[in-house]
């Protein structure tokens, strides 16, 4: 059986025609856009302005890019499980992941083209400056993008042709190459945006772009931290969007078999998102630390200046994610025989999560009224001082990560009963190390109140290290504990309440919102600089907008993305339908 | 299916609005604009200066990110309340003003112990460099404000401070000017010395601000090649150099005419990055579509199911044709783009490496030669420096009282005149470029020396 072109790909002449028409009109116009902008630093975009136009295009492009870079990572892993574990179910899952990629890939390219055209016409000065420094990498980017696309099409359309033996291994190799190309493409694009954020110290406003050393501009201070952060975040995001797709398919499924499959797919997507989310804060710490190391001023602006309040929103978003992930897992335990044994842990976990969220979302300073200040004798409470300090917030976050990890471990044990002789001892060791970790995290949090800021910032490394060490120890101990464990029954896939699928949508929407918000903060901390401390932004939009405006733009981005991603889902489903009919 | 989709969409919108609502109503709202330009002059009174200093502290300086001036505020760096008094006692023998100035310009020189990093360094960025990048006057205003916090205000703004601040402002705004190479030529070739491009002053040549309304591209070209052919009403003949066009390459002449006339030739439009991008997209999509077509065409299953029709073969040829055409076009555009890429402002404003002084010409440089320095001066310099060399405000400096001239040898001055001074030269305090040889390329070294001697004779 051969694959057909998805309908999106068949319409490429329409896209080309449209873009060609716009370009032609621009070229033939005697006083056209190009003629005007060549002598200008900035262009105008109707209604919403240049900044919002580029902002929306860049963020939607990035969301699609995150999806198409994240999904191949676990598609290739799923295929490997299918090959080496000899389980066709995983192979089918990997192909289903990849089908979503095809149309999403076109959407990424279209939004990338829109972004590029907007940059060229609305910010020509910046564009020319960047191209003078990065031109070689831009051409490499285009070439690798081509290779990546070609590999993707070969990977998907060759799935059934290269299904057995050595050909299957070669096919898997194609999947690995797809990831390699995609990762390099992302690393290249990251160098451009991180250069704008942290240009090398020897690049000043007087430095000609021709004199900027390519590699020092490319591998700038925040390049690798962003690479790592995005790599992990892409997996989280890809998992969440795949989960949402599976949830939709679950909700419209007509047979139990279909429902069971998409329940499982949603679970896998969610599992991937959770797994990567747990390590994401470590990458976040690294990035934040490098931003501070590059420029104290930039770091302080980000955490304590103009953007400080947005971290409260970030706390609410991530706190909501933790709540939703735990809710999904508790709901999922309902379809596991034996899962009811762990229901008693729901309340304490919920307590930790709710309290943690409340602490995390507390602003640094609660602005007191005159009467309150009079009653307290100063602007802050005489004993409590300022409430929302990093010590308390870090403690809350680490305890929330710990609680979510415990929920997941209980889920894993749902239908197993340990029979190993080491089980009782192992469980005790796990409980004792858990308590020790909690005591350690809380102690460091309290200690942080009594030391100078510089020491306090350093402490934020030890808490996640303790959490990480505990996780590793717990998983290592789980191996001998679960050896020879008795099964209490098979997981009843498909027997999930419908509301659980809405939780998956909640996760996808919240992740998208979070990415939009953090993208804004990362870009916004350059303030009124195109290239920080090198090229000033002198456009009308060279100011930090109100949080109300910023969150409204993020909100629009999320809706635009979801509308486009539903088109992707619809096209993927159509392609699948055609495939079935042709079988 | 549709109902489920609408339910999900509604659910996502509700979540979206929930988070947006937090941003709208729960968070404190404010906009942060780039710092204002402050008009600080030698006449600015102390009271106003202190007020401006406070503005600098709260906006451009970004001081309150770490310091505080009220009970509430940040404690990453010393509390500034009372700093005016404390400053006089921090370092023995150093005045409060000197200490505060040093703290801003070189924060690591003295670090208050409890705010030092583990290595004893300061976390404070240098105030007169980015990101705060304060000018000399802003820095002094800030010192005045800090002195007002418990101390005595001793700061005085001098003419040098104002001049340095103005030079810095020009330098920073230079990075926002046009990217057009024609615009860069206006400055580098000295056109702006005689022609106004800002619409603010009258100069010896007609303003260029509305030239595209008055003249066609051909007429502008003619005015450059043959300046006396048509003289604008109210302006004199023979002031513009007749051989000006000969100093330009034909490409530069085209760039200048294109910029002034506002006409962009097709080759330049096609060499634009947007067109390159378009070609790239065509190539990319064409390549992918072709690859897919070939894959499908070779598929044995397809061949069995559906014999390839004539029309599908034709489509492959059409795709091939489009791709080949795009490659040819890309090559043509690329050639068209060679040398046409507009210079970025950073490049335009970058001080070029100091050109080595040209070797002196064969004409002997003999002081007191028979050459008429006054006549040569009258032919070259009055447009900017005035007929009496006393300067023209906004154009050229007074050369009769110039410390610069008095402190340099004849050879140095000859070398300087030959080289000129670009607008982005840090020592350029007028904002107007001094063109090489005063834009009179015909001058030889001996003639320039004669002009130098004439100027020396005018020194008070």
């Amino acid at each position: 059986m051969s694959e057909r072109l998805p309908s999106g790909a068949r319409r490429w002449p329409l896209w080309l025609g449209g873009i060609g028409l716009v370009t032609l009109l621009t070229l033939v116009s005697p006083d056209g856009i190009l003629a005007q902008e060549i002598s200008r630093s900035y262009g105008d975009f109707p209604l919403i302005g240049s900044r919002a136009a580029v902002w929306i295009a860049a963020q939607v492009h990035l969301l699609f890019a995150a999806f198409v870079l994240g999904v191949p990572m676990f598609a290739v892993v799923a295929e490997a499980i299918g090959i080496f574990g000899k389980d066709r179910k995983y192979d089918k899952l990997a192909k289903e992941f990849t089908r979503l990629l095809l149309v999403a890939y076109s959407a990424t390219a279209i939004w990338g083209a829109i972004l590029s055209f907007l940059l060229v016409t609305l910010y020509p000065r910046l564009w020319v400056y960047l191209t003078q420094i990065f031109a070689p990498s831009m051409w490499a980017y285009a070439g690798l993008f081509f290779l990546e696309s070609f590999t993707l099409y070969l990977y998907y359309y060759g799935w059934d042709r290269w299904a057995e033996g050595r050909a299957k291994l070669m096919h898997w190799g194609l999947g690995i190459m797809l990831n390699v190309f995609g990762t390099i493409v992302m690393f290249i694009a990251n160098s451009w945006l991180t250069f704008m954020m942290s240009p090398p110290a020897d690049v000043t406003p007087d430095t000609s772009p021709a004199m900027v050393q390519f590699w020092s501009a490319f591998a700038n201070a925040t390049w690798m931290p962003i690479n790592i952060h995005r790599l992990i975040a892409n997996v989280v995001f890809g998992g969440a969007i795949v989960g949402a797709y599976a949830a939709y398919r679950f909700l419209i499924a007509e047979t139990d078999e279909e429902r069971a499959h998409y329940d499982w797919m949603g679970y896998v997507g969610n599992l991937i998102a959770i797994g990567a989310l747990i390590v994401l804060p470590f990458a976040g710490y690294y990035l934040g630390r490098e931003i501070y190391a590059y420029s104290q001023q930039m770091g302080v602006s980000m955490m304590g200046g103009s953007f400080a309040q947005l971290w409260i929103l970030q706390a609410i978003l991530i706190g909501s994610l933790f709540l939703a992930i735990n809710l999904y897992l508790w709901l999922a335990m309902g379809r596991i025989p034996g899962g009811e044994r762990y229901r008693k842990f729901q309340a304490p976990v919920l307590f930790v999560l709710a309290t943690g969220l409340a602490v995390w979302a507390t602003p640094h300073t609660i602005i007191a009224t005159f009467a309150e200040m009079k009653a307290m004798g100063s602007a802050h409470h005489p004993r409590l001082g300022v409430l929302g300090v990093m010590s308390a917030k870090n403690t809350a976050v680490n305890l929330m990560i710990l609680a979510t990890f415990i929920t997941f471990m209980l889920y894993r044990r749902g239908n197993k009963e340990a029979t190993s002789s080491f089980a009782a001892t192992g469980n005790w060791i796990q409980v004792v190390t858990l308590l020790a970790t909690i005591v350690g995290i809380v102690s460091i949090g309290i200690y942080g109140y009594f030391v100078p800021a510089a020491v306090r910032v350093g402490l934020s490394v030890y808490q996640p290290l303790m959490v990480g060490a505990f996780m590793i120890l717990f998983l290592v101990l789980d191996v001998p504990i679960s050896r020879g464990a008795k099964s209490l029954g098979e997981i009843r896939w498909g027997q999930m309440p419908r509301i659980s699928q809405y939780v998956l949508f909640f996760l996808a929407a919240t992740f998208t919102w979070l990415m939009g918000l953090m993208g804004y903060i990362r870009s916004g901390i350059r303030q009124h600089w195109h290239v920080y401390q090198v090229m000033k932004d002198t456009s009308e939009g060279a100011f930090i907008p109100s949080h109300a405006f910023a969150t409204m733009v993020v909100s629009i981005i999320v809706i635009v993305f979801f509308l486009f991603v539903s088109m992707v889902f619809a096209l993927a489903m159509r392609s699948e339908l055609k495939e079935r009919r042709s079988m | 299916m549709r109902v489920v989709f609408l339910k999900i969409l509604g659910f996502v919108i509700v979540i979206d609005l929930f988070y947006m609502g937090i941003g709208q109503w729960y968070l404190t709202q404010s906009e942060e604009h780039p710092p204002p330009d402050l008009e600080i002059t030698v006449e600015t009174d102390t009271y106003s200066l202190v007020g401006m200093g406070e503005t600098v502290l709260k906006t451009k300086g970004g001081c309150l990110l770490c310091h505080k001036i009220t009970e509430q505020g940040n404690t990453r760096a010393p509390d500034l309340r009372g700093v005016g008094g404390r400053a006089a006692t921090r370092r023995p023998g150093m005045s409060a003003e000197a200490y505060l100035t040093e703290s801003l310009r070189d924060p690591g020189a003295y670090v208050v112990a409890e705010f030092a990093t583990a290595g004893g360094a300061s976390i404070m960025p240098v105030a007169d460099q980015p990101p705060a990048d304060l000018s000399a006057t802003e820095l002094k205003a800030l010192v005045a404000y800090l002195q007002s916090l418990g101390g005595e205000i001793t700061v005085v703004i001098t003419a040098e401070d104002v001049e340095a601040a103005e030079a810095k402002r020009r330098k920073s705004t230079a990075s926002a000017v046009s990217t057009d190479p024609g615009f860069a030529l206006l400055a580098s070739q000295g056109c702006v010395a005689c022609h106004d491009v800002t619409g603010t002053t009258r100069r010896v040549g007609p303003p260029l601000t509305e030239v595209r309304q008055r003249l066609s591209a051909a007429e502008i070209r003619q005015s450059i090649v043959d300046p006396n052919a048509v003289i604008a009403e109210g302006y004199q003949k023979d002031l513009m150099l007749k051989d000006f066009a000969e100093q330009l390459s034909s490409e530069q002449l085209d760039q200048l005419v294109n910029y002034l006339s506002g006409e962009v030739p097709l080759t330049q439009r096609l060499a634009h990055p947007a067109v390159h991008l378009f070609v790239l997209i065509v190539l990319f999509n064409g390549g992918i579509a072709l690859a897919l077509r070939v894959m499908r065409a070779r598929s044995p299953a397809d061949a069995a199911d559906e014999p390839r029709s004539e029309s599908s073969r034709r489509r492959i040829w059409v795709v091939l044709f489009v791709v080949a055409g795009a490659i040819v076009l890309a090559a043509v555009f690329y050639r068209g783009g060679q040398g046409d890429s507009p210079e970025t402002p950073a490049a335009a404003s970058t001080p070029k490496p100091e050109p080595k002084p040209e070797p002196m010409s064969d004409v002997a440089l003999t002081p007191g030669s028979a050459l008429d320095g006054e006549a040569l001066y009258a032919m070259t310099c009055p447009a900017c420096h005035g007929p009496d060399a006393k300067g023209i405000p906004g154009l050229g400096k007074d050369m009769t009282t110039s410390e610069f001239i008095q402190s340099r040898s004849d050879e140095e001055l000859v070398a300087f005149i030959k080289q000129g001074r670009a607008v982005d030269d840090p020592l350029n305090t007028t904002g107007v470029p001094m063109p090489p040889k005063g834009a009179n390329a015909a001058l030889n070294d001996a003639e320039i020396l004669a002009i130098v001697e004439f100027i020396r004779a005018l020194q008070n």
Side-chain angles (χ1 to χ4, degrees):
Chain A
M1 187 211 71
S2 76
E3 299 293 346
R4 306 256 174 183
L5 286 177
S7 48
R10 280 184 187 167
R11 289 181 191 143
W12 67 269
L14 286 178
W15 287 111
L16 285 184
I19 295 170
L21 192 66
V22 172
T23 312
L24 197 66
L25 284 173
T26 313
L27 289 173
V28 297
S29 159
D31 196 21
I33 298 164
L34 294 183
Q36 286 176 30
E37 65 82 6
I38 275 171
S39 59
R40 292 190 307 185
S41 295
Y42 301 104
D44 294 319
F45 192 87
L47 294 173
I48 59 171
S50 301
R51 178 170 65 172
V54 168
W55 183 351
I56 292 170
Q59 191 61 51
V60 177
H61 170 62
L62 188 118
L63 290 171
F64 271 109
F67 181 69
V68 301
L69 289 172
V71 173
M73 289 190 212
F74 44 84
V76 91
V77 173
E79 191 184 8
I81 297 172
I83 296 169
F84 301 110
K86 301 199 187 310
D87 189 342
R88 299 288 294 179
K89 193 168 69 167
Y90 280 94
D91 193 69
K92 190 185 162 203
L93 182 72
K95 189 181 176 191
E96 200 153 5
F97 286 155
T98 313
R99 185 182 297 119
L100 291 178
L101 282 178
L102 284 183
V103 191
Y105 207 82
S106 303
T108 313
I110 290 165
W111 279 98
I114 293 171
L115 172 63
S116 306
F117 278 114
L118 288 178
L119 279 174
V120 170
T121 52
L122 301 179
Y123 292 87
R125 181 168 63 102
L126 172 66
W127 175 264
V128 171
Y129 179 78
L130 291 178
T131 51
Q132 285 193 318
I133 296 170
F134 289 108
S137 66
M138 287 176 172
W139 287 107
Y141 179 92
L144 283 162
F145 191 66
F146 183 87
L147 278 176
E148 188 191 359
S149 314
F150 193 67
T151 312
L152 172 64
Y153 285 112
L154 274 181
Y155 185 57
Y156 181 71
Y157 288 108
W159 208 290
D160 297 323
R161 186 177 295 186
W162 300 311
E164 301 296 337
R166 276 191 184 171
K168 183 63 181 168
L169 284 177
M170 190 196 78
H171 182 262
W172 184 56
L174 274 178
I176 292 171
M177 289 314 293
L178 177 64
N179 278 289
V180 170
F181 291 140
T183 306
I184 298 174
V185 162
M186 183 186 78
F187 278 21
I188 292 175
N190 284 351
S191 75
W192 309 332
L193 69 98
T194 52
F195 171 78
M196 289 168 67
M197 195 173 154
S198 56
D202 57 348
V203 178
T204 68
D206 293 335
T207 310
S208 161
M211 300 300 288
V212 176
Q213 283 191 338
F214 175 78
W215 183 247
S216 72
F218 191 90
N220 59 75
T222 55
W223 179 58
M224 198 42 82
I226 285 269
N227 286 340
I228 293 170
H229 195 270
R230 283 194 165 174
L231 213 58
I232 300 169
N234 290 348
V235 177
V236 176
F237 188 64
I241 298 296
V242 162
Y245 171 74
Y248 179 64
R249 296 300 302 264
F250 178 95
L251 291 173
I252 60 165
E254 289 169 356
T255 64
D256 285 346
E257 190 193 354
E258 217 178 321
R259 210 168 285 119
H261 174 72
Y262 287 109
D263 181 14
W264 178 65
M265 188 178 177
Y267 163 76
V268 172
N270 191 27
L271 182 69
I272 290 163
I274 299 168
L277 178 71
I278 285 174
V279 281
L280 196 57
F282 302 108
Y285 278 126
Y286 174 42
L287 174 60
R289 204 182 140 134
E290 289 303 307
I291 290 174
Y292 266 94
Y294 176 76
S295 164
Q296 285 277 347
Q297 179 104 354
M298 187 187 261
V300 171
S301 289
M302 177 175 73
M303 299 301 295
S306 322
F307 299 93
Q309 288 255 314
L310 292 177
W311 295 95
I312 296 167
L313 184 50
Q314 189 231 26
I316 293 170
L317 284 158
I318 300 182
S320 305
L321 281 177
F322 276 114
L323 280 169
I325 287 165
N326 280 274
L327 174 63
Y328 179 81
L329 288 174
W330 290 119
L331 286 170
M333 278 213 212
R335 57 160 145 67
I336 301 179
E340 64 282 351
R341 290 174 297 160
Y342 300 115
R343 204 167 286 157
K344 61 188 173 208
F345 295 110
Q346 286 178 9
V349 165
L350 183 64
F351 173 76
V352 170
L353 292 173
T355 313
L357 175 56
V359 171
W360 197 4
T362 302
H364 175 273
T365 305
I366 297 173
I367 298 165
T369 63
F370 181 71
E372 286 165 343
M373 281 199 280
K374 205 174 162 191
M376 290 190 292
S378 75
H380 303 298
H381 190 274
R383 286 198 197 85
L384 295 175
V386 286
L387 285 171
V389 291
M390 280 311 285
S391 282
K393 292 186 181 212
N394 281 346
T395 306
V397 174
N398 283 289
L399 290 179
M400 287 167 83
I401 293 173
L402 209 56
T404 306
F405 177 75
I406 294 297
T407 300
F408 183 57
M409 290 300 109
L410 295 178
Y411 176 89
R412 280 184 65 201
R413 289 182 179 188
N415 61 344
K416 291 191 189 89
E417 193 176 315
T419 55
S420 143
S421 58
F422 178 70
T425 317
N427 279 336
W428 270 111
I429 297 173
Q430 286 178 328
V431 170
V432 169
T433 46
L434 171 66
L435 291 174
T437 308
I438 293 171
V439 169
I441 290 169
V442 173
S443 304
I444 288 176
I446 295 169
Y447 176 63
Y449 274 91
F450 302 102
V451 290
V455 181
R456 188 161 55 237
V457 171
L459 290 178
S460 60
V461 177
Y462 298 110
Q463 287 176 323
L465 277 179
M466 289 175 81
V467 174
F470 169 74
M471 286 178 186
I472 293 168
L473 183 73
F474 194 100
L475 288 169
V476 168
L477 286 172
D478 246 15
V479 177
I481 288 173
S482 58
R483 190 170 290 142
K486 192 174 101 186
S487 172
L488 299 175
E490 286 299 304
I491 297 175
R492 299 184 291 265
W493 292 110
Q495 293 183 21
M496 277 286 268
R498 287 173 77 82
I499 195 172
S500 64
Q501 306 305 303
Y502 284 90
V503 176
L504 292 179
F505 274 103
F506 179 87
L507 285 171
T510 304
F511 273 125
T512 313
W513 230 98
L514 186 60
M515 283 182 75
L517 181 74
M518 301 316 287
Y520 163 63
I521 295 177
R522 189 204 55 70
S523 181
I525 54 174
R526 285 183 283 113
Q527 296 177 311
H528 55 281
W529 296 91
H530 287 310
V531 179
Y532 192 62
Q533 300 182 8
V534 173
M535 182 187 273
K536 261 188 186 157
D537 181 353
T538 53
S539 68
E540 284 179 0
F543 66 95
I544 298 167
S546 68
H547 296 326
F549 179 80
T551 50
M552 190 176 68
V553 175
V554 174
S555 178
I556 291 168
I557 287 166
V558 172
I559 296 294
V560 170
F561 174 73
F562 267 87
L563 287 175
F564 270 83
V565 96
S566 37
M567 267 169 55
V568 169
F569 288 177
L571 288 168
M573 284 164 66
R574 257 184 83 178
S575 159
E576 185 194 334
L577 207 64
K578 280 186 181 174
E579 191 182 323
R580 276 196 208 159
R581 280 183 194 151
S582 66
M583 281 175 84
Chain B
M1 194 186 285
R2 191 165 293 167
V3 174
V4 171
F5 175 75
L6 290 175
K7 270 188 185 172
I8 291 166
L9 190 64
F11 181 63
V12 169
I13 290 173
V14 167
I15 298 165
D16 192 52
L17 292 178
F18 168 68
Y19 293 131
M20 190 182 83
I22 294 170
Q24 303 289 315
W25 296 294
Y26 180 60
L27 305 183
T28 312
Q29 303 297 333
S30 66
E31 284 183 353
E32 196 175 309
H33 286 263
D37 282 332
L38 301 172
E39 289 289 326
I40 304 172
T41 65
V42 284
E43 282 92 31
T44 304
D45 61 85
T46 307
Y47 180 77
S48 307
L49 191 66
V50 168
M52 291 180 186
E54 188 176 1
T55 305
V56 170
L57 177 119
K58 289 178 176 171
T59 59
K60 191 174 181 182
C63 313
L64 298 183
L65 285 170
C66 298
H67 296 276
K68 67 176 183 178
I69 51 171
T70 59
E71 181 59 33
Q72 284 186 327
N74 289 308
T75 53
R76 297 182 189 95
D79 186 342
L80 294 178
R81 288 174 296 176
V83 70
R86 283 200 306 275
T89 60
R90 283 284 194 209
R91 302 186 74 176
M94 190 178 254
S95 70
E97 184 182 342
Y99 171 76
L100 291 170
T101 306
E102 182 193 70
S103 300
L104 291 165
R105 287 189 190 275
D106 183 9
Y110 178 88
V111 186
V112 178
E114 60 263 43
F115 297 99
T117 63
S122 165
I123 62 164
M124 179 168 152
V126 179
D128 59 357
Q129 287 173 20
D133 205 19
L134 302 185
S135 68
T137 49
E138 288 166 337
L139 199 116
K140 279 203 162 178
L142 182 54
V143 171
Y145 172 71
L146 294 174
Q147 284 189 316
S148 78
L149 301 174
E152 188 191 343
I153 302 164
T154 57
V155 171
V156 176
I157 302 287
T158 65
E160 284 76 28
D161 295 329
V162 176
E163 205 165 284
E166 181 58 18
K168 185 163 197 158
R169 187 191 63 76
R170 271 198 305 274
K171 199 169 159 187
S172 71
T173 51
S175 71
V177 298
S178 167
T179 58
D180 194 289
F183 183 88
L185 282 169
L186 283 182
S188 65
Q189 296 299 320
C191 310
V192 290
C194 299
H195 298 276
D196 177 39
V197 291
T198 60
T200 53
T201 54
R202 181 184 166 87
R203 296 189 177 171
V204 291
L208 299 179
T209 45
E210 293 169 359
V211 70
R212 63 183 64 167
Q213 275 85 47
R214 292 191 290 111
L215 304 173
S216 67
E219 288 167 333
I220 291 172
R221 186 180 293 272
Q222 185 195 34
S223 295
I224 295 171
V225 176
D226 181 7
N228 286 339
V230 181
I231 298 295
E233 198 180 329
Y235 292 89
Q236 291 179 25
K237 277 178 95 169
D238 292 326
L239 278 179
M240 183 164 161
L241 299 173
K242 291 189 183 66
D243 61 349
F244 177 76
E246 290 167 21
Q247 298 170 30
L248 302 172
S249 67
S250 61
E251 189 185 35
Q252 285 177 320
L253 183 61
D254 288 344
Q255 286 170 344
L256 202 51
V257 173
N258 290 338
Y259 176 72
L260 291 173
S261 65
E263 286 182 13
V264 180
L266 189 63
T267 49
Q268 198 173 331
R269 289 184 193 195
L270 294 180
H272 192 272
V275 181
H276 292 176
L277 263 172
F278 169 67
V279 173
L280 188 68
I281 289 168
V282 171
L283 279 172
F284 177 79
N285 285 282
I288 288 289
L290 184 68
L292 288 171
R293 289 268 168 212
V294 170
M295 276 188 73
R296 268 198 74 197
R298 291 196 173 177
S299 160
D302 255 15
D305 293 350
E306 184 187 323
R308 225 175 325 136
S309 65
E310 192 57 36
S311 65
S312 84
R313 277 205 195 91
R314 203 178 302 130
R315 277 205 294 273
I316 291 177
W317 282 111
V318 168
V319 171
L320 272 174
F321 179 76
V322 168
V323 173
I327 291 169
V328 172
L329 278 174
V332 171
F333 297 160
Y334 185 69
R335 281 177 66 85
Q338 296 290 307
D340 280 355
S341 65
E343 196 177 1
T344 64
S349 65
T350 302
K352 302 288 181 288
E354 289 283 317
K356 288 177 187 166
E358 288 173 25
M360 293 289 187
S361 62
D362 294 341
V363 182
L365 284 182
T366 316
S369 69
L371 289 167
D372 187 348
E374 187 174 357
L376 288 166
Y377 177 91
M379 280 168 59
T380 312
C381 317
C384 295
H385 295 281
D388 53 0
K390 285 192 177 295
I392 297 176
L395 275 178
K397 297 192 104 179
D398 182 352
M399 295 198 286
T400 60
T401 56
S402 169
E403 203 177 299
F404 177 83
I405 292 170
Q406 287 161 13
S407 64
R408 276 161 180 77
S409 68
D410 287 355
E411 282 74 17
E412 284 172 332
L413 286 176
V414 170
F416 168 75
I417 293 170
K418 284 170 73 178
Q419 185 184 322
R421 176 164 278 164
V423 72
D424 55 5
D425 188 319
L427 297 177
N428 186 323
T429 56
T430 61
V432 175
M434 157 91 178
K437 297 186 180 181
N440 184 356
L443 291 178
N444 63 32
D445 290 353
E447 288 167 335
I448 296 172
L449 182 65
I451 294 175
V452 168
E453 284 176 351
F454 171 69
I455 295 168
R456 283 228 190 274
L458 297 174
Q459 294 299 302
N460 292 329

